[in-house]
Amino acid sequence: MNEDKAPESVWEHSRWRRSARRLWRTPYEKGEAGGKPLGLWLTDDTVAVARFDHVQAYRVTTGEPLWTWRPPGEQVVGLVSADAKDGVGVVLHYDDGNLDVERVGLTSLAVDTGEVVRQREQDAEPLGYLPSDVAVGGGLVAAAVESWKTDEFGNGDEVTLHTLDVETGRVRYKHTLKDRRVQNASAISAQPFVAHLEARGARGRPRLLVLDAVRKDAVALRLPDDCEKFGREVAVAGDVLAVQLVPADESDRDKGVRVGAYSTSSGELLWEWHTKGWRHEEAVVLAHRGWLLVLHRYAHRFSVLDPADGRVVARRRLRGRGAIWPFAAAAGELIAVSCGSPGDIRRLRVFRWR
């Protein structure tokens, strides 16, 4: 995902009418609520899709099943890493039937072979509410933990944002929120560390907080006045963070997908990009080869944007049935798309965009 910037020639012949070449797709399968995908990993040789009870890998060129991994005992897959750093993906698993989870498992899998590279247990307390307050990626686990402890002056409700090393559990970065207006906090990205904050009060609005262990500061990204919330994921290319912006006015949502690009150093909204779409559509934003990829039209199309100014470098159409709440991953010349909607058709599609 975080590759060096490629020249525009890799996206040549970028007309709307050009379709990415589909390599294969899995058969139609009616999904159950618990069977929705939780994430995708993609390498040049293998694509792996994670569900609550297993991770299934396929040969990327043919769709041939390669390996399956299942969590131990009665545990389930809570979430998986947003990337496969050095070809290794991370699974966070635990017993979701236990009301008081004390330990979680962290298993690192080699995507191409299914080999367990490392496995360890982690205290659940530093992770907050599972799995919604946690994100995994870049060899880190990011979490937002609310403390009900009060100090000598009676102040409480303190929220701690921190990242833990996947291999050792050691705290790599820590930031304490002392703003008592924060009602909910969750980690939505581990690398880079991005937290989603919701504030109390009639004037309270969601915002994103970008944390940097090098600069030792936090940068707040604020919604435009006419928007009510951010999308569910972010993508970072260089100093630019892209995220879907959801308009507050229902009629504006019929006008299509809206993506905003922010500076991660200043928090400034640099540019916005719009495309035609359908009501309540949720887009996927990815960083790939130095560009920003936006999957839209219910995963029927993706557009490639220059992070500097939002200029469209290329467009591709993706043949096949659309996907509600899609998941996507990109590697080299490949892009994989799966549907994340419970009860909908579950289908995995793999394309070569050149």
Side-chain angles (χ1 to χ4, degrees):
M1 292 290 207
N2 300 312
E3 301 177 34
D4 293 334
K5 186 166 184 177
E8 288 189 26
S9 59
V10 303
W11 298 105
E12 62 186 354
H13 307 304
S14 56
R15 300 183 299 272
W16 265 120
R17 293 181 178 275
R18 181 171 181 188
S19 295
R21 181 162 64 92
R22 189 175 65 203
L23 299 181
W24 54 272
R25 60 184 179 182
T26 54
Y28 282 124
E29 181 183 0
K30 194 66 176 179
E32 301 298 332
K36 66 177 182 178
L38 300 175
L40 288 174
W41 299 323
L42 182 63
T43 70
D44 291 338
D45 301 311
T46 308
V47 58
V49 57
R51 304 187 191 278
F52 85 99
D53 59 347
H54 71 286
V55 179
Q56 177 67 60
Y58 304 87
R59 190 174 306 281
V60 78
T61 53
T62 64
E64 172 193 357
L66 294 178
W67 56 263
T68 302
W69 178 87
R70 299 184 185 279
E74 297 297 315
Q75 295 188 20
V76 300
V77 176
L79 73 158
V80 297
S81 57
D83 57 7
K85 183 181 179 183
D86 299 325
V88 176
V90 180
V91 183
L92 185 150
H93 47 93
Y94 62 99
D95 182 0
D96 66 338
N98 190 336
L99 295 178
D100 186 17
V101 177
E102 296 182 354
R103 306 281 287 177
V104 302
L106 289 168
T107 299
S108 299
L109 301 172
V111 178
D112 288 341
T113 65
E115 175 190 359
V116 175
V117 177
R118 67 185 67 89
Q119 193 171 39
R120 73 175 185 86
E121 288 192 341
Q122 163 72 48
D123 289 338
E125 185 177 359
L127 303 182
Y129 185 76
L130 294 168
S132 62
D133 292 352
V134 186
V136 183
L140 300 172
V141 180
V145 183
E146 185 173 359
S147 172
W148 295 98
K149 297 179 181 179
T150 57
D151 59 22
E152 57 183 315
F153 303 105
N155 298 317
D157 297 346
E158 192 173 81
V159 178
T160 299
L161 305 172
H162 56 202
T163 56
L164 310 177
D165 188 282
V166 165
E167 295 187 33
T168 65
R170 182 173 61 88
V171 175
R172 296 276 293 272
Y173 178 77
K174 184 177 181 179
H175 180 86
T176 301
L177 294 175
K178 296 185 178 180
D179 185 351
R180 292 177 59 83
R181 293 170 298 178
V182 175
Q183 183 176 15
N184 293 304
S186 60
I188 62 173
S189 172
Q191 184 68 5
F193 190 0
V194 182
H196 181 273
L197 308 181
E198 297 179 11
R200 296 181 177 89
R203 295 183 182 276
R205 308 188 71 213
R207 69 181 188 271
L208 299 182
L209 204 63
V210 181
L211 300 109
D212 191 315
V214 176
R215 292 197 304 258
K216 300 293 184 182
D217 59 3
V219 177
L221 311 183
R222 303 187 184 278
L223 280 167
D225 292 339
D226 60 343
C227 291
E228 71 170 8
K229 63 180 180 180
F230 294 100
R232 63 189 175 101
E233 56 189 25
V234 299
V236 176
D239 182 52
V240 177
L241 180 148
V243 61
Q244 183 176 0
L245 303 174
V246 180
D249 191 327
E250 290 279 341
S251 62
D252 287 339
R253 299 182 190 181
D254 293 333
K255 298 177 182 178
V257 169
R258 181 174 172 182
V259 173
Y262 292 83
S263 167
T264 59
S265 56
S266 69
E268 176 189 2
L269 180 60
L270 302 173
W271 49 261
E272 290 188 27
W273 177 78
H274 303 254
T275 186
K276 294 180 180 180
W278 292 304
R279 189 175 183 84
H280 302 309
E281 180 188 358
E282 188 163 357
V284 175
V285 289
L286 301 171
H288 181 54
R289 300 176 70 91
W291 305 100
L292 295 170
L293 274 62
V294 182
L295 189 70
H296 55 100
R297 290 288 181 93
Y298 289 107
H300 280 301
R301 291 177 177 173
F302 74 87
S303 299
V304 184
L305 311 181
D306 189 325
D309 53 15
R311 178 174 54 92
V312 176
V313 175
R315 301 180 175 97
R316 295 290 187 270
R317 296 203 302 182
L318 302 177
R319 293 185 295 118
R321 185 184 177 94
I324 301 175
W325 305 342
F327 283 87
E333 299 181 359
L334 302 170
I335 183 168
V337 180
S338 185
C339 178
S341 173
D344 202 348
I345 298 297
R346 300 189 301 179
R347 168 163 278 189
L348 175 64
R349 295 177 289 158
V350 177
F351 300 86
R352 188 181 299 277
W353 45 259
R354 290 189 65 179

